[in-house]
Amino acid sequence: MPLLLIAVWAVIDWEVVYGSAVRLASAELSWLLAGAVLAVLCSAATACIRQGTVPERLPPGLLFASQFAAGAAGHVLPANLGAHAVTLRFLQRQGIPLPRATASIALYSLVKPVARTAVIAVFVLALPGTLHLGDLLPDTRTLAVVAAAVALALVAVVVTLTAVRVLRRHCIRLAQTALTDLRLVHRRPSRALALWGGAAALPVLQACVLAAVGASVDLPVSWPLMVFAYLAASTVVGAVPAPGGIGPVDAAVVFTLVAFGAPATLATTTVIGYRLLTVWLPLLPGTLVLSALVRAKAL
């Protein structure tokens, strides 16, 4: 569905898409290479978070390779399920039981938004007069719709857990396992640093990829504003279960960059370049690494 919506948008607004592609073809190569390096470092940050979710020491090389491969799988299934599936198999191959491996994925999913919110708060406190938050805040009607959706989701979860006894028992067991491992990893400074440091570094690295692409096309927005634009936009629409966030995140980032004073064509060019470096170019090598890990029985 996200890919279909992108295709429809490209047909409707073909002039902007064509102009963006032409502008990207003449972008400064050094900045694009810097963005590619930052995109690879995103896999390293993800590997740090994964290591921080389990007390056992994981082999660094295989862990990084599994997360690079998980990046490709994460763009196939919604809500990052592909990446979680690859990680689950990897942890089981490392001798971690299925309940604890599942609990580590739950911890990973919990830590990321908490760390991202903390990073956004740092930006808001450090740049109070330059963010123009009033241009980004939704109106009352939109906030009411979001609040209603969140309330309905919480009610649905409570009703489901109350009505389905087997599911409730499994969820309680998962929570107990996750809390046990959470205490264990925080008793080890190296694990806690990997967990929270990686979770804080990951969104910043992703935002720096966007900023590097923006610098390559001379986007008239400063680096701090480009980084904040990505953080804010990806946080607002992060709950939409699109594969890799493709579609909702793109639209939100373009909207935020335009709100910060960027021309629509250059903002679109920046987002297209960002997706090229983080999704389309790593897709083939990530798939090949995934295949190699399966053949080597690491998954």
Side-chain angles (χ1 to χ4, degrees):
M1 182 61 69
L3 295 178
L4 178 61
L5 292 176
I6 290 175
V8 171
W9 165 73
V11 171
I12 295 174
D13 208 358
W14 173 248
E15 291 185 1
V16 173
V17 176
Y18 179 76
S20 301
V22 171
R23 182 67 185 87
L24 187 62
S26 60
E28 189 173 342
L29 184 59
S30 59
W31 278 116
L32 292 180
L33 290 175
V37 172
L38 290 168
V40 174
L41 291 178
C42 291
S43 297
T46 304
C48 287
I49 307 173
R50 298 291 190 185
Q51 175 61 87
T53 59
V54 292
E56 293 86 352
R57 186 179 185 277
L58 303 173
L62 280 179
L63 178 59
F64 174 79
S66 71
Q67 294 313 297
F68 186 72
H75 298 308
V76 179
L77 297 176
N80 214 28
L81 288 176
H84 290 330
V86 171
T87 302
L88 192 68
R89 296 294 188 184
F90 172 75
L91 293 177
Q92 287 185 274
R93 281 291 184 180
Q94 298 303 313
I96 298 176
L98 179 60
R100 292 188 55 237
T102 308
S104 76
I105 291 176
L107 179 58
Y108 172 89
S109 302
L110 176 64
V111 166
K112 282 181 62 181
V114 173
R116 181 188 294 266
T117 303
V119 172
I120 291 176
V122 170
F123 268 84
V124 172
L125 294 175
L127 305 169
T130 59
L131 295 181
H132 307 296
L133 296 179
D135 298 332
L136 303 178
L137 295 177
D139 55 23
T140 305
R141 182 178 178 182
T142 303
L143 288 175
V145 172
V146 172
V150 172
L152 287 175
L154 292 176
V155 170
V157 169
V158 172
V159 170
T160 302
L161 292 179
T162 303
V164 185
R165 184 177 179 181
V166 175
L167 181 60
R168 182 172 69 253
R169 185 170 65 249
H170 283 299
C171 287
I172 292 174
R173 186 179 305 166
L174 174 65
Q176 291 172 341
T177 303
L179 289 174
T180 300
D181 273 10
L182 182 64
R183 287 193 295 267
L184 288 176
V185 298
H186 280 87
R187 289 174 184 171
R188 300 184 180 184
S190 59
R191 295 292 185 270
L193 179 61
L195 180 65
W196 291 104
L202 178 59
V204 175
L205 287 171
Q206 292 171 332
C208 285
V209 176
L210 180 78
V213 177
S216 72
V217 297
D218 296 325
L219 188 74
V221 178
S222 65
W223 265 69
L225 285 182
M226 282 192 283
V227 171
F228 182 78
Y230 176 84
L231 293 173
S234 59
T235 299
V236 170
V237 299
V240 180
I246 299 174
V249 172
D250 302 337
V253 171
V254 170
F255 170 81
T256 308
L257 290 175
V258 171
F260 284 155
T265 302
L266 284 183
T268 306
T269 302
T270 301
V271 173
I272 291 175
Y274 169 79
R275 284 302 182 190
L276 186 67
L277 293 180
T278 58
V279 177
W280 305 117
L281 287 181
L283 195 57
L284 179 58
T287 305
L288 294 176
V289 171
L290 179 62
S291 176
L293 290 175
V294 172
R295 291 176 178 272
K297 299 186 183 303
L299 297 178

